[in-house]
Amino acid sequence: MKIWLDGGLQDIDSARVSVLDHGLTVGDGVFETAKAVDGRAFALTRHLDRLARSARGLGLPEPDLDEVRRACAAVLDANPMALGRLRITYTGGLSPLGSDRGDHGPTLVVALGATKRRADSTAVITVPWTRNERGALTGLKTTSYAENVVALARAHEQGATEALFANTVGQLCEGTGSNVFVVLDGEIHTPPVASGCLAGITRALVVEWTGARETDLPLDVLERADEVFLTSSLRDVQAVHRVDARELGGTPGPVTAKAMRVFDERSGNDLDP
């Protein structure tokens, strides 16, 4: 397996990042995860645009997106696989032990791992912790992910693959690594970015391709929604058959099934929409 690290391909077994890298010591970094299909990354332009936005939000130097594209292409060429998880990580680089950044410059890592197509439906839980819709990192895809690790571990303990958060005012927000949609009276709704959720790439495409509405939703909408589904780069559109103890019969429902078909067709026709 080959990865890209600071300017070139390296063997994954010998590649090294400093133990004083700010991404490790204080979580000062941003990242993107893209689906890779037969050696090509899906929606790479949108992912790179968001990588740059997240970097600006953290005050990191502007990433050289041409270099990131070259790195992605090199890693994909060096590791042929039918379906992969392409991970781009961009950190504050070698820095002092503390919150101040050093002057060594950022670290760029691009890696690829094999994955499998997700199941058509899954179970989710809600968790008691909240997303802060007014926090300094709100809307940024950063490597400060421990909150998601804790919530996802709880989901796995309860036989689910995702945990859903409310925000500080009790509105439905997002999952640990996904956006959430609900169907009410035949209409698709998803929380607006102002709720504190990440502006997901797949989320944006689903909104564009299905006409879904961005709506402020209370968390308890999950108790009465006709259908629920998740979106993310690796889930695409995935139906939810259980929320906590509530079973949703006939999953995927007709609206979700149509959204799944539309996404499969549109994404299959254009790998960089």
Side-chain angles (χ1 to χ4, degrees):
M1 183 68 69
K2 299 281 189 180
I3 71 166
W4 181 281
L5 174 59
D6 288 340
L9 288 173
Q10 298 189 30
D11 290 327
I12 195 168
D13 291 334
S14 58
R16 296 289 182 269
V17 174
S18 172
V19 295
L20 298 182
D21 191 280
H22 231 210
L24 171 65
T25 56
V26 297
D28 178 27
V30 297
F31 77 99
E32 288 291 321
T33 299
K35 179 176 65 174
V37 181
D38 294 327
R40 292 185 61 192
F42 178 69
L44 184 59
T45 297
R46 290 177 183 251
H47 280 288
L48 295 187
D49 287 347
R50 189 174 64 182
L51 182 78
R53 291 198 304 273
S54 293
R56 286 193 294 270
L58 276 192
L60 289 168
E62 191 80 10
D64 182 343
L65 297 186
D66 289 335
E67 179 190 7
V68 181
R69 280 189 181 274
R70 290 195 300 273
C72 291
V75 169
L76 288 166
D77 288 344
N79 305 286
M81 59 186 68
L83 185 62
R85 177 196 299 261
L86 184 68
R87 163 83 181 221
I88 305 164
T89 307
Y90 184 72
T91 79
L94 181 63
S95 300
L97 287 172
S99 296
D100 291 325
R101 290 195 182 112
D103 55 9
H104 187 270
T107 298
L108 172 65
V109 180
V110 179
L112 181 68
T115 189
K116 297 180 180 178
R117 178 176 167 82
R118 52 92 179 110
D120 283 343
S121 72
T122 192
V124 304
I125 66 166
T126 56
V127 290
W129 310 295
T130 59
R131 288 293 202 228
N132 181 1
E133 69 278 8
R134 294 174 293 173
L137 303 184
T138 301
L140 309 181
K141 195 169 179 67
T142 78
T143 58
S144 299
Y145 234 55
E147 184 176 78
N148 294 320
V149 172
V150 171
L152 189 57
R154 174 171 289 196
H156 291 330
E157 290 170 358
Q158 298 185 26
T161 70
E162 183 59 300
L164 301 181
F165 294 90
N167 63 16
T168 64
V169 293
Q171 297 170 333
L172 179 64
C173 187
E174 64 177 350
T176 67
S178 68
N179 291 107
V180 58
F181 289 71
V182 299
V183 178
L184 300 169
D185 297 325
E187 290 191 336
I188 305 174
H189 300 262
T190 193
V193 172
S195 71
C197 69
L198 185 71
I201 304 301
T202 307
R203 171 191 180 277
L205 292 172
V206 169
V207 169
E208 291 175 22
W209 293 345
T210 69
R213 298 172 55 185
E214 296 183 277
T215 310
D216 288 324
L217 301 162
L219 183 64
D220 66 9
V221 73
L222 297 171
E223 299 173 6
R224 53 187 170 83
D226 302 316
E227 303 172 35
V228 179
F229 64 85
L230 306 177
T231 63
S232 75
S233 291
L234 295 177
R235 293 179 189 266
D236 293 335
V237 177
Q238 184 181 39
V240 171
H241 61 254
R242 176 169 62 84
V243 180
D244 293 326
R246 183 194 177 202
E247 297 284 347
L248 285 83
T251 305
V255 178
T256 300
K258 182 178 179 180
M260 295 168 77
R261 288 195 303 271
V262 168
F263 188 85
D264 285 346
E265 292 170 3
R266 296 288 296 266
S267 62
N269 292 332
D270 184 359
L271 276 177
D272 200 18

